[in-house]
Amino acid sequence: MAEATEIRKLVYLVTGGCGFLGEHVVRMLLQREPRLSELRVFDLHLGPWLEELKTGPVRVTAIQGDVTQAHEVAAAVAGAHVVIHTAGLVDVFGRASPETIYEVNVQGTKNVIEACVQTGTRFLVYTSSMEVVGPNIKGHPFYRGNEDTPYEAVHKHPYPCSKAQAEQLVLEANGREVHGGLPLVTCALRPTGIYGEGHQIMRDFYHQGLRLGGRLFRAIPASVEHGRVYVGNVAWMHVLVARELQRQAALLGGQVYFCYDESPYKSYEDFNMEFLGPCGLRLVETRLLVPYWLLMLLAALNALLQWLLRPLLLYAPLLNPYTLAVANTTFTVSTDKARRHFGYEPLFSWEDSRSRTIRWVRAVEGSAP
Ligand SMILES: NC(=O)C1=CN([C@@H]2O[C@H](COP(=O)(O)OP(=O)(O)OC[C@H]3O[C@@H](n4cnc5c(N)ncnc54)[C@H](O)[C@@H]3O)[C@@H](O)[C@H]2O)C=CC1
Ligand SMILES: CC(C)CCC[C@@H](C)[C@H]1CC[C@H]2[C@@H]3[C@H](O)CC4=CC(=O)CC[C@]4(C)[C@H]3CC[C@]12C
């Protein structure tokens, strides 16, 4: 017992800790970070599930707050040893304005960095995204690329632009002197498309399939490959990199790492069918019926309708020119940088990730869309 209290001395803060990824990071920290004494969970919207975590040996502090408010962030960061900054506005559908996306993703990240500097917090892990690299607006494929693969990263959409700016801020902050005189140590993780328990878009596809009588219609050629990564492995990578950042600051500081695991490379739709198939949906081949030019036209029409209807209502369908371009461009990563630098191995095998996700989709069955 004395030993346990001696070991438990670290305070971690997870921003966005009630989101899809954030919840997994929070739970993973409680399971796999034995040196944790307090876990602060900061989010705009706190989840009721946090209550059940408050009975364990780690003090779980729920903080309702907004990353765009510098004073709220500084208050939450003060006294924390490590910050894992996953909070972000993930919007590629036009639900939020570009200004709001920048405010949350860029200004929010600036606030987190400044809070670390002001309060003396030394270790910052940022959840970036593969989107900071691509796919680019030209639709160039990124095939089995790694952190050093040259790629023309040209973006226009506010989400990837904001993530790229925020990532750069985090990396540039590495080495800055924090309150107390020691250097800040930062790094960024770049997940590809995350899937697993709690994945809202998977839930939407599932309900859409149910509404269409158990069918989904193929829109994208099966030859277009996407890199996907299981949420539990992304969470595990955050826990591990946060730990190793403290041990190997010189090696890990200022670095970026793609998040990867053993999930197979497949088209976005074929990959989703790995889970939706066993839950009773089937993918109907419609390539001949829906040619790509027609999809582009529909996507452009959706964008126009979104713009025209904006004063009256929010029209934000899944299909728009940006999501179509991303869905239709091969983007896969193949790297071992995280293994070499901090000994990362996926915690969940593909089989395990798949069965956990299927179990979750089955549980979603019957729940309201
Ligand atoms: N979902 C995906 O496939 C990928 C996500 N990411 C990144 O991972 C991070 C987490 O994403 P998800 O869990 O998918 O999204 P999410 O929307 O489920 O979680 C984001 C969390 O941030 C919180 N948040 C948003 N604005 C906030 C604000 N102003 N102040 C405080 N909290 C705020 C939300 O309430 C939410 O709980 C994001 O930074 C995202 O860019 C990166 C790659 C892929
Ligand atoms: C109906 C269309 C033809 C197909 C729609 C699928 C799209 C909604 C999704 C295809 C690829 C997804 C993106 C990709 O996984 C990379 C991402 C990384 C992030 O950081 C955030 C999410 C996303 C942009 C993800 C969003 C949905 C897709 C565009």
Side-chain angles (χ1 to χ4, degrees), residues 89-93 128-132 134-135 159-160 163 190-194 199 201 205 208 217-220 226-228 268-269 272 292 295 317-320 322-329 331:
L89 195 42
V90 185
D91 181 20
V92 289
F93 307 113
S128 182
S129 167
M130 73 175 220
E131 292 263 312
V132 307
Y159 175 73
K163 292 300 285 185
R190 294 173 174 168
T192 54
I194 308 174
H199 186 205
I201 302 178
F205 274 114
Q208 190 185 18
F217 296 89
R218 186 188 292 284
I220 301 296
H226 276 235
R228 302 286 289 271
Y268 192 78
E269 289 162 324
N272 286 352
Y292 190 66
L295 278 175
L318 284 187
L319 180 65
N320 65 46
Y322 181 74
T323 57
L324 181 59
V326 176
N328 198 45
T329 306
F331 198 99

Side-chain angles (χ1 to χ4, degrees), residues 20 193-196 199 228-231 263 271 275 350 353 357:
F20 164 45
I194 308 174
Y195 70 94
H199 186 205
R228 302 286 289 271
V229 60
Y230 177 60
V231 66
S263 304
F271 191 83
F275 320 106
W350 160 238
S353 309
T357 308

Side-chain angles (χ1 to χ4, degrees), residues 5-291:
T5 41
E6 247 173 46
I7 296 170
R8 291 192 181 281
K9 57 181 181 191
L10 294 183
V11 178
Y12 274 53
L13 168 71
V14 180
T15 71
C18 292
F20 164 45
L21 172 62
E23 177 175 347
H24 286 266
V25 172
V26 163
R27 292 184 187 277
M28 187 65 73
L29 278 167
L30 292 174
Q31 286 166 18
R32 301 259 169 185
E33 186 43 81
R35 297 183 308 153
L36 203 58
S37 70
E38 183 188 351
L39 179 55
R40 298 181 188 166
V41 183
F42 181 96
D43 205 298
L44 206 49
H45 308 288
L46 296 176
W49 53 271
L50 278 174
E51 288 308 309
E52 87 206 30
L53 305 180
K54 290 185 175 168
T55 52
V58 177
R59 180 171 163 201
V60 176
T61 312
I63 307 170
Q64 195 276 322
D66 185 342
V67 287
T68 68
Q69 302 303 311
H71 64 284
E72 294 183 10
V73 180
V77 170
H81 297 95
V82 180
V83 176
I84 299 182
H85 178 39
T86 77
L89 195 42
V90 185
D91 181 20
V92 289
F93 307 113
R95 291 177 189 143
S97 69
E99 293 76 24
T100 311
I101 294 175
Y102 282 104
E103 187 65 13
V104 175
N105 293 351
V106 182
Q107 187 58 47
T109 302
K110 272 187 197 161
N111 291 344
V112 170
I113 295 168
E114 292 311 319
C116 290
V117 170
Q118 280 162 28
T119 66
T121 296
R122 285 200 57 210
F123 302 100
L124 170 61
V125 176
Y126 174 60
T127 314
S128 182
S129 167
M130 73 175 220
E131 292 263 312
V132 307
V133 179
N136 62 21
I137 44 173
K138 297 178 179 174
H140 292 155
F142 187 84
Y143 185 78
R144 313 286 190 263
N146 65 28
E147 290 83 352
D148 300 317
T149 303
Y151 188 79
E152 201 184 336
V154 209
H155 306 296
K156 272 195 176 152
H157 194 279
Y159 175 73
C161 288
S162 66
K163 292 300 285 185
Q165 280 183 28
E167 182 189 273
Q168 201 182 344
L169 289 170
V170 168
L171 301 179
E172 282 170 4
N174 182 59
R176 266 183 79 180
E177 189 177 305
V178 304
H179 180 76
L182 292 169
L184 180 63
V185 189
T186 67
C187 74
L189 300 188
R190 294 173 174 168
T192 54
I194 308 174
Y195 70 94
E197 303 95 304
H199 186 205
Q200 183 59 45
I201 302 178
M202 185 85 76
R203 195 185 274 144
D204 292 347
F205 274 114
Y206 181 58
H207 284 124
Q208 190 185 18
L210 291 182
R211 280 196 299 274
L212 294 171
R215 289 167 301 175
L216 284 168
F217 296 89
R218 186 188 292 284
I220 301 296
S223 57
V224 176
E225 288 185 349
H226 276 235
R228 302 286 289 271
V229 60
Y230 177 60
V231 66
N233 287 324
V234 181
W236 171 230
M237 213 163 157
H238 280 72
V239 172
L240 209 55
V241 84
R243 186 186 298 161
E244 293 302 319
L245 209 53
Q246 300 165 62
R247 292 188 180 142
Q248 308 186 69
L251 177 64
L252 274 61
Q255 296 288 331
V256 294
Y257 301 93
F258 277 119
C259 289
Y260 55 91
D261 62 13
E262 292 148 358
S263 304
Y265 305 113
K266 284 186 175 226
S267 78
Y268 192 78
E269 289 162 324
D270 284 308
F271 191 83
N272 286 352
M273 288 313 292
E274 289 282 347
F275 320 106
L276 302 180
C279 295
L281 298 196
R282 67 193 173 88
L283 188 61
V284 180
E285 306 289 333
T286 57
R287 280 300 288 163
L288 291 175
L289 296 177
V290 189

